[in-house]
Structure formats: C-alpha cells, structure tokens
Amino acid sequence: MINLTIKLHFKSVAKISLATLLALAVCSCKQSPLYSNLTEQQANEVEAALLSAKVDANKEPALDDESWSITVPKESFPQAMAILKSLGLPRTAKKTMGEIFAKEGFVSSPIEERARYLHALSEEFSTTLMEIDGVASARVHVALPELSLLDKDKQSASVSVIIIQQPGVDLSLYETDIKAIITDGVEGLNDVNRVTVKFFSRVDTTDHLIDGEIEGES
C-alpha cells in the first residue's frame, strides 16, 4: 500500500513538472510586437532581414487589414532592433511627386510650389539611391538658383548627397555613378563637380549583443 502511494505521488510530481516545463516553453516562445503599422513591403523586408539573422520573426496582419506588424520573442528584442538599425529598416515610406503635388483645391503660391518641387525632387532621388544594395539610408538636398530674366550669367544648381552604408559595406566606388544620376536628373545642373557625395557607415552592434549573450550563457 505504501509503495502504491509513493508511485502515485511520483506520477503526480512528474505530471506537474511536465506541465510546468510546457508552460515555461510556451511563455518563452511568446511573440511580442516589435513594429506595427507597416506596409506589406516594409513588413516583408523586416521579416526577411530578421529571419536571415536567425531571429524568429513573424509578419501578422493588423485588425484593419491595411497594415502589418512584426513580432519577435521578447528576449530577442535587443538583437532584432540592432539588426534593423544597422540595415536601415524599416525604410521610411517616401512620397512620390504625384502625391506631393496632389491637388487639394487650393491655389499655391510660387514659393510654395518651388518648395514642394524641391522636396519632391529630393524624395525621388533618395528613393532611387535606396534601391542600391548596401544603402541603409540616403538623403539628397537640392539647391536651385532663383531664375531671373535680367541675369546674363545663369548660376548652376548644386546637390549634396548623404549615403549611410550598412555595416561592412563600401559604396565609395559608386560615387561617380551617383553623381551622374543626380546630374542627369536636375535641370540646370551641367557641372558634375556641383554634386557632393559623402559616405558614412552604420555601427554594427549585433556582434556585441551576441558576444554578451554567449558570455552570459557561459
């Protein structure tokens, strides 16, 4: 009778331990939102980058069926954020010229039209440069001279380009190509030397996170 009681006790303890382990496993695998209100393209890029880095990421539709969110295990938050920061993800959605110049029923002043045109031109160039592999972020600033019928000598436009490179990437070899793209796309810009391109690199913090996790485990 005593042996039977002991066996039943051990079975109960075993069941409780198994249930506890399962509960802990479920908790550890619970996904938490990392980003929300993303377009499908942004969500796809983020999910692909994290999965490539062996981070368990999931893309989920929002309740409004118009946006997406990305979830990761809570313990993977620091690593996921570091990876996305180094890659410049999620990319900021750029407005097209059509969206910037959408008619809203109001008549714009020449100054407003000029400002909107410069902004639209800069956005278009930034979007184009972001398509180059290895670019984490790109900013383009266009300066157009004021046109005057009285000026005999027309001043040239000028453009400055800032390229933020992903860690371990060197895009300086494409400087001539980038200048050519800008020069051909800006009216009144005939001198390639009026285009300046500066390259900066993102700091890769993922290695430090991984090393810290390994040291913590050891």
Side-chain angles (χ1 to χ4, degrees), residues 9-62:
H9 175 71
F10 276 114
K11 285 183 177 180
S12 299
V13 172
K15 288 181 178 179
I16 294 173
S17 300
L18 180 59
T20 302
L21 290 174
L22 289 173
L24 290 174
V26 170
C27 292
S28 62
C29 296
K30 184 178 179 181
Q31 300 283 107
S32 298
L34 180 68
Y35 275 104
S36 59
N37 198 31
L38 300 175
T39 65
E40 187 169 11
Q41 180 177 350
Q42 289 173 323
N44 288 338
E45 291 175 346
V46 169
E47 183 184 35
L50 293 178
L51 291 177
S52 298
K54 302 187 184 306
V55 175
D56 184 19
N58 290 320
K59 182 184 77 172
E60 299 177 356

Side-chain angles (χ1 to χ4, degrees), residues 149-168:
L149 296 176
L150 300 178
D151 291 338
K152 295 182 180 180
D153 298 326
K154 293 183 179 179
Q155 296 180 347
S156 174
S158 62
V159 180
S160 61
V161 181
I162 299 175
I163 301 290
I164 307 299
Q165 305 170 137
Q166 295 176 359

